[in-house]
Amino acid sequence: QVQLRESGGGLVQPGGSLRLSCTASGSIISLNAMGWYRQASGKQRELVAILTSGGSTSYGDSVTGRFLIDRDSTRNTVNLYMNALKPEDTAVYYCNARGNAASTPRTFDSWGQGTQVTVSS
């Protein structure tokens, strides 16, 4: 019912920057939280950044100070600005959105298919 479209992944050199975008579409009544997680090879999924409906942001410890998340509520879109990228940022990045939908079940927890970010020289 709620689908997420991700864009912006790719290859970037260490120290470079990249922007990821995620747009939610479907029968959305409200978005309670929307953001990004990542999973590197051989590691568990971890929080990158998330933005709640109240405007609060949470960042993973490893990205605090380097990444910034913002939103365009008119488009149900969040943007993740990644700066000073490091090789250890290499991972598949997954968009996640939680909220309320117009149909049963009236809550949703949707995931994008993932976009690869590779930081390498």
Side-chain angles (χ1 to χ4, degrees):
Q1 192 71 16
V2 177
Q3 295 182 336
L4 304 179
R5 186 179 73 251
E6 303 159 323
S7 64
L11 175 66
V12 64
Q13 294 184 355
S17 299
L18 204 63
R19 187 190 76 170
L20 303 183
S21 295
C22 180
T23 298
S25 62
S27 300
I28 300 169
I29 299 298
S30 63
L31 279 168
N32 297 330
M34 193 169 177
W36 293 89
Y37 294 77
R38 70 186 183 188
Q39 186 167 18
S41 179
K43 294 186 176 182
Q44 295 182 346
R45 185 188 67 180
E46 65 176 355
L47 171 70
V48 178
I50 193 163
L51 180 63
T52 71
S53 61
S56 298
T57 56
S58 296
Y59 293 92
D61 289 342
S62 63
V63 307
T64 297
R66 298 188 297 121
F67 291 10
L68 177 70
I69 189 169
D70 69 6
R71 68 180 176 186
D72 183 347
S73 60
T74 64
R75 302 185 182 95
N76 288 330
T77 296
V78 292
N79 300 301
L80 180 69
Y81 299 90
M82 304 184 292
N83 302 299
L85 284 161
K86 305 174 181 179
E88 50 263 46
D89 294 317
T90 296
V92 178
Y93 285 68
Y94 297 92
C95 183
N96 174 248
R98 286 165 275 160
N100 300 94
S103 60
T104 303
R106 290 186 167 84
T107 61
F108 64 87
D109 185 351
S110 297
W111 291 87
Q113 66 178 346
T115 184
Q116 177 72 45
V117 172
T118 301
V119 184
S120 176
S121 60

